[in-house]
Amino acid sequence: MTNTLIFVDFATDDPAKAGEFYAEVFGWENDARPHGIYHRMVPGGFFQNKDGTDSQIGNLHLGVFDANNARPHPSPEGVEPRTLSAEGRKARIWVLVSDDDSHERILETAEKLGGKVLWRDHYWAEFNGYNHAFADPWGNEIILWGKAGENPEIPASYTRE
């Protein structure tokens, strides 16, 4: 059996606000554990089987932690660095847009709450998906993924690769 990825988390200087941001942008449960220190974002549901039914595998969770004192850590005071990374590339979070939502609504909500739209309307043929991206108020890059389906009709305005 291989090692199992259970969730990914990233830094913020305000975990409570980040939890509220992701709850409103994506509709995820904001599970504060404890409030203001670490927030586990729970998308709910299960990965789907090819026939569209739920599998036994629950969706991954996303955590947000306080950069000033990243928990867990053996020292109650934590360690350096205690600031958000502002330069260069960081991890990117990929989110599959559900069939009952839209990238337009997500980008609009993220922008309204202090996020920044990075780009939109791109088709990636290798994985047959429509992509759009924004940075959250803490600089984390979120890439939205929309399934293009069989024999997709790519809008002329979309960039492609």
Side-chain angles (χ1 to χ4, degrees):
M1 181 171 174
T2 62
N3 297 308
T4 303
L5 175 66
I6 55 172
F7 62 90
V8 174
D9 60 39
F10 55 78
T12 175
D13 57 4
D14 190 342
K17 187 173 180 182
E20 293 166 6
F21 177 89
Y22 283 101
E24 189 168 339
V25 170
F26 291 116
W28 295 343
E29 177 188 346
N30 179 9
D31 183 20
R33 303 180 66 168
H35 187 271
I37 295 172
Y38 189 89
H39 287 242
R40 181 178 69 149
M41 304 312 301
V42 184
F46 293 85
F47 284 104
Q48 291 189 341
N49 295 312
K50 288 186 178 186
D51 67 1
T53 61
D54 285 344
S55 74
Q56 295 179 339
I57 304 167
N59 283 320
L60 298 175
H61 299 164
L62 173 70
V64 289
F65 66 93
D66 187 352
N68 188 48
N69 190 355
R71 309 305 316 152
H73 190 275
S75 169
E77 296 81 32
V79 295
E80 297 294 334
R82 297 181 185 276
T83 58
L84 298 175
S85 176
E87 300 296 323
R89 287 279 178 204
K90 301 178 194 176
R92 299 182 301 173
I93 308 300
W94 293 76
V95 176
L96 178 64
V97 178
S98 69
D99 292 338
D100 62 350
D101 204 349
S102 70
H103 71 271
E104 292 96 347
R105 189 212 56 83
I106 292 169
L107 292 172
E108 180 181 304
T109 303
E111 201 166 35
K112 176 183 83 175
L113 296 174
K116 177 183 176 187
V117 173
L118 300 174
W119 47 269
R120 58 177 80 221
D121 302 343
H122 182 71
Y123 174 71
W124 194 3
E126 183 68 27
F127 294 98
N128 191 29
Y130 301 120
N131 306 134
H132 320 271
F134 69 90
D136 71 12
W138 304 274
N140 298 295
E141 187 174 347
I142 312 301
I143 301 177
L144 304 177
W145 184 273
K147 295 177 186 176
E150 201 170 315
N151 301 314
E153 292 185 27
I154 315 306
S157 60
Y158 274 50
T159 55
R160 304 162 191 240
E161 68 180 272

